[in-house]
Amino acid sequence: MGYEDREPDSSELAKMKQELRDALESGAFGMSSGLVYPPGCYAKTDELIILCKIVREHNGIYATHMRDEGNELETALNETINISKESGVKTQISHIKTWGQKNWWKIDKIENLLKNARAEDIKITCDRYPYTAAATDLDIILPDWVYEGGASKEKTRLEDPLCRERIIKEMEQEGVSEEFWGTIMISSVFNKEQRHYEGKTIAEISNVLKIPSIEFVLDLLYQEDCRVGVIFFNMSEENLARILKWDFVMAGSDSSLRSLKGILNYGKPHPRGYGTFSRIIRKYVNETSILSIEEAIYKMTGLPSQTLGLKYRGLLKEGFFADITIFDQRTISEQATFAIPHNYSTGIKHVLVNGKLTVKNGQHKNIMNGAVLKS
């Protein structure tokens, strides 16, 4: 179906169901959806329920990035709960949050919705990273219709004066203001010629260029073939601490792989790729006591393993695989920052992967002992 905004016909839906069954029978843990991104944003609720019933039949998990985390947060969460209820599938909500200051007050509502659903035996868990900034693609801020047909059609619309006028008008109706652009930092661009934008906010750049921020954004997306990574600084620290405390929320980085060298060393990525787990211990255990050390470790290891159905992993227990990190709780700390993100944490002493010492005294031993995990 590609990037078409329509429901699947009967043959297309049958193919989806068969491909899903094949994947689950080959060891996939479940199915994920990115309903805020194209083409997932075009999937309808009924279609997702049908597919999730197959996931349930295989005792798999449905992981979802909901349709909205801000203005329509409650509607999106109710849809997710309904999908889980109607299909009976175990559901994992990716990095639950209240996005945008005007939506911070909704924390009570989403907590009640989640706890009431779980009280009704609807199987829902969540994950969260320990930062108040999110990272994703810049074009996520555009209306859904702009994506239809794929990147080439999106680029054509960005160039068309009438389409640009419509985009700007719809974004203004959504309440996008000049203040909003000061909360978005460019983290990566595709073309080397424009990498001087990395690490700067859209407001800063547009002020230097003396053009409206929205015009700069549309121009940049066009020039970069819609491949622009950004960081949004728009979440509440109070809400974050509260979410981390919920017993059905586990820790997750929501990051792609990064490295200090090689092809994975590029741009100014979100520091969560390097610092998520050490930050939780440093900030939310040692400094604020939001979590006990036992709770924090469980949210990083045992709870994710149990939620995914990973056997013999996630706990220090006889007969389990020895995936073990030995750290100094007094000195463990993230060193990655938004300005200088490519930095490993301190305080990590030794790491064993499947029983082999992979990191010794903070130094990688070039031992590769990982394994592909299957359901």
Side-chain angles (χ1 to χ4, degrees):
M1 293 174 64
Y3 283 70
E4 294 183 47
D5 183 6
R6 63 175 177 81
E7 295 184 34
D9 61 32
S10 58
S11 63
E12 288 167 334
L13 186 58
K15 186 175 181 181
M16 288 183 192
K17 291 162 73 174
Q18 187 57 53
E19 290 192 1
L20 180 56
R21 286 193 183 96
D22 290 344
L24 292 164
E25 290 167 5
S26 297
F29 287 94
M31 180 182 79
S32 66
S33 66
L35 303 181
V36 72
Y37 301 106
C41 59
Y42 304 132
K44 305 299 187 287
T45 305
D46 289 344
E47 175 186 333
L48 292 165
I49 291 172
I50 289 169
L51 296 175
C52 281
K53 286 180 178 179
I54 295 172
V55 178
R56 181 206 63 205
E57 290 170 6
H58 289 77
N59 197 32
I61 188 169
Y62 169 56
T64 181
H65 191 303
M66 299 190 301
R67 288 190 200 276
D68 197 282
E69 298 170 322
N71 295 346
E72 302 297 325
L73 172 58
E74 296 155 275
T75 301
L77 181 53
N78 276 315
E79 179 191 35
T80 302
I81 292 169
N82 184 51
I83 290 169
S84 188
K85 180 180 180 180
E86 294 300 317
S87 67
V89 76
K90 294 181 291 185
T91 299
Q92 173 79 10
I93 298 175
S94 299
H95 31 278
I96 188 78
K97 64 174 74 74
T98 51
W99 197 87
Q101 187 169 357
K102 64 181 180 180
N103 296 303
W104 291 355
W105 65 275
K106 296 177 180 177
I107 186 69
D108 290 332
K109 291 195 171 187
I110 67 166
E111 181 176 12
N112 288 333
L113 283 171
L114 286 165
K115 289 187 173 180
N116 289 341
R118 286 172 57 82
E120 295 174 14
D121 202 30
I122 299 172
K123 298 174 177 62
I124 291 186
T125 51
C126 310
D127 57 74
R128 184 56 207 262
Y129 46 83
Y131 295 85
T132 55
T136 189
D137 299 322
L138 177 57
D139 64 352
I140 193 177
I141 65 177
L142 302 177
D144 286 355
W145 59 267
V146 182
Y147 314 130
E148 190 175 358
S152 61
K153 293 289 184 64
E154 179 179 348
K155 189 173 178 180
T156 299
R157 294 185 183 104
L158 292 171
E159 187 181 31
D160 182 274
L162 291 177
C163 285
R164 285 173 75 108
E165 184 180 340
R166 179 182 169 188
I167 291 168
I168 294 170
K169 183 177 181 180
E170 289 186 14
M171 291 181 68
E172 287 175 347
Q173 290 173 345
E174 284 291 313
V176 174
S177 64
E178 276 302 314
E179 289 182 0
F180 174 67
W181 303 115
T183 68
I184 306 177
M185 186 185 86
I186 305 293
S187 60
S188 66
V189 294
F190 183 73
N191 294 311
K192 292 181 180 179
E193 298 77 17
Q194 305 202 96
R195 290 192 179 158
H196 58 283
Y197 290 148
E198 293 175 351
K200 298 181 176 65
T201 68
I202 288 171
E204 290 171 339
I205 299 167
S206 62
N207 284 339
V208 170
L209 297 178
K210 300 189 185 313
I211 61 173
S213 294
I214 183 60
E215 295 289 351
F216 166 72
V217 166
L218 299 181
D219 289 342
L220 182 65
L221 285 170
Y222 177 81
Q223 294 159 6
E224 294 293 316
D225 294 332
C226 308
R227 292 175 290 186
V228 181
V230 291
I231 295 173
F232 292 90
F233 296 87
N234 56 12
M235 285 181 271
S236 160
E237 176 62 37
E238 181 181 345
N239 285 2
L240 165 57
R242 185 167 160 185
I243 288 168
L244 285 174
K245 187 68 177 174
W246 295 345
D247 60 7
F248 52 88
V249 171
M250 60 202 74
S253 69
D254 185 34
S255 176
S256 58
L257 289 173
R258 299 294 180 155
S259 176
L260 298 188
K261 58 184 178 180
I263 61 172
L264 299 179
N265 180 260
Y266 65 92
K268 288 188 177 293
H270 197 301
R272 65 193 182 187
Y274 290 93
T276 287
F277 303 103
S278 50
R279 179 179 174 87
I280 285 178
I281 296 172
R282 192 268 304 168
K283 183 170 184 177
Y284 297 100
V285 175
N286 291 350
E287 294 182 5
T288 63
S289 300
I290 295 297
L291 301 170
S292 68
I293 187 65
E294 293 84 0
E295 288 173 324
I297 297 299
Y298 178 64
K299 285 175 176 288
M300 300 175 195
T301 57
L303 183 55
S305 295
Q306 291 161 15
T307 302
L308 272 176
L310 289 175
K311 290 186 177 181
Y312 309 114
R313 295 187 185 274
L315 299 176
L316 285 175
K317 190 173 180 179
E318 185 177 355
F320 277 47
F321 292 93
D323 296 323
I324 301 170
T325 300
I326 299 169
F327 61 91
D328 185 339
Q329 187 181 338
R330 298 168 300 173
T331 62
I332 191 169
S333 179
E334 78 281 17
Q335 299 302 308
T337 65
F338 289 99
I340 309 175
H342 293 285
N343 271 318
Y344 291 137
S345 297
T346 55
I348 308 296
K349 301 296 186 182
H350 314 295
V351 178
L352 287 87
V353 177
N354 288 325
K356 288 191 177 181
L357 189 60
T358 301
V359 174
K360 183 178 181 180
N361 294 321
Q363 298 298 314
H364 201 289
K365 307 301 290 182
N366 292 319
I367 294 173
M368 306 297 180
N369 201 39
V372 174
L373 302 179
K374 293 185 177 182
S375 174

